[in-house]
Amino acid sequence: MAICAYFYDKVTNKIIGRNIHQVKDVDNPGRLKYEDVDLTECWEDIRTGNKWPDILERVTDHDPDNLGLIYADDIPYGYNEYKPSLVEGTTRLERRPYICLKIKQSPNVIKSEERDRYRLHDVDTEGEVTLDMEVQVKTTQSDIEKHDKDKNVNDIDGEFAAECTHGRITPRNGIINVVNGKASFKWHLPDTNSKELARCYVKDSKGEVLISKSLRVNCC
């Protein structure tokens, strides 16, 4: 895996772009391969907007002093999932915390399964059902979230938004208050055995915490 260059805004602490380097692969004619990026010689031109001016245009106040650079391994997913973090005097990329959404224990939940990109539940909705939903902010440096193993983050407060594709949420406006990284709300599902999966999400309107894996319900 080759080293890439990531540009970030020191004011917003957000990644605003990256640079990768490809060269001809002599072992595979007609193909390219990745090589480590080194922008040392041209960094001052990039920082001041003489080279790749669009990078400086994305920075707060278009101020060169607000533009930072990090070298790191290629990220397998979107770089918006990461943020610069100062660790032992060195700025590194760190994965943002994410929202873990779960259904609290209920006799109506017949089966549950966590997959890479969503959680799947079989739920008995006969006679309508109200599910108690639980939110916990978590963190991982892995590419895939594992709700049962990842660490809780308990220093985040604010308003998150809960949404669903079927049924309704309480509170009605979907706004839930997160305190110490935790929150709860209710999801009301009607009596149905629709073949279409019902989905529920929670997101941070400020974009600091990653959106949860979707929680999908097969209404039985």
Side-chain angles (χ1 to χ4, degrees):
M1 183 178 295
I3 299 297
C4 301
Y6 294 88
F7 308 106
Y8 70 97
D9 188 321
K10 294 179 181 178
V11 177
T12 63
N13 205 42
K14 291 185 177 180
I15 307 296
I16 59 172
R18 73 168 179 171
N19 177 258
I20 58 176
H21 184 52
Q22 289 181 308
V23 296
K24 291 182 179 179
D25 187 345
V26 295
D27 296 324
N28 295 283
R31 295 188 179 184
L32 298 175
K33 67 177 182 179
Y34 291 102
E35 276 196 351
D36 291 349
V37 172
D38 184 356
L39 301 178
T40 304
E41 293 185 0
C42 60
W43 171 236
E44 187 61 23
D45 284 336
I46 297 171
R47 196 181 73 85
T48 55
N50 293 320
K51 183 180 178 68
W52 304 334
D54 60 305
I55 297 294
L56 187 60
E57 290 174 1
R58 302 174 207 169
V59 176
T60 300
D61 299 329
H62 310 309
D63 186 344
D65 290 338
N66 292 333
L67 177 60
L69 174 67
I70 301 173
Y71 292 106
D73 289 337
D74 186 22
I75 293 173
Y77 301 108
Y79 55 72
N80 62 312
E81 293 191 5
Y82 290 76
K83 64 179 181 179
S85 181
L86 188 62
V87 180
E88 298 179 351
T90 302
T91 303
R92 304 175 183 174
L93 288 184
E94 182 180 81
R95 200 150 186 258
R96 293 182 182 276
Y98 72 88
I99 300 164
C100 170
L101 177 60
K102 290 184 176 181
I103 301 174
K104 291 185 179 179
Q105 188 172 358
S106 167
N108 293 90
V109 179
I110 302 168
K111 180 182 177 182
S112 299
E113 179 183 359
E114 182 177 359
R115 299 185 180 179
D116 285 352
R117 294 300 169 196
Y118 60 91
R119 297 181 69 99
L120 179 63
H121 303 269
D122 289 344
V123 175
D124 180 2
T125 56
E126 184 176 358
E128 301 185 356
V129 64
T130 295
L131 300 174
D132 290 313
M133 309 299 293
E134 184 178 65
V135 172
Q136 171 67 64
V137 180
K138 288 180 172 284
T139 184
T140 179
Q141 295 310 305
S142 173
D143 298 336
I144 302 296
E145 299 97 347
K146 295 182 179 179
H147 288 180
D148 295 334
K149 296 182 179 180
D150 294 338
K151 294 181 180 179
N152 292 349
V153 177
N154 299 319
D155 60 353
I156 290 180
D157 301 328
E159 290 186 345
F160 286 4
E163 301 177 2
C164 65
T165 61
H166 198 61
R168 61 185 176 86
I169 298 290
T170 299
R172 284 188 176 274
N173 62 3
I175 302 301
I176 56 177
N177 292 314
V178 176
V179 179
N180 297 327
K182 298 179 178 64
S184 61
F185 63 96
K186 294 184 183 296
W187 185 14
H188 309 280
L189 286 168
D191 187 342
T192 180
N193 57 359
S194 171
K195 293 182 179 180
E196 183 177 352
L197 295 175
R199 293 172 170 83
C200 189
Y201 308 84
V202 173
K203 59 185 179 182
D204 172 19
S205 58
K206 295 180 179 179
E208 296 297 327
V209 183
L210 297 175
I211 191 170
S212 64
K213 288 184 179 182
S214 69
L215 189 148
R216 306 181 186 187
V217 166
N218 177 30
C219 299
C220 305

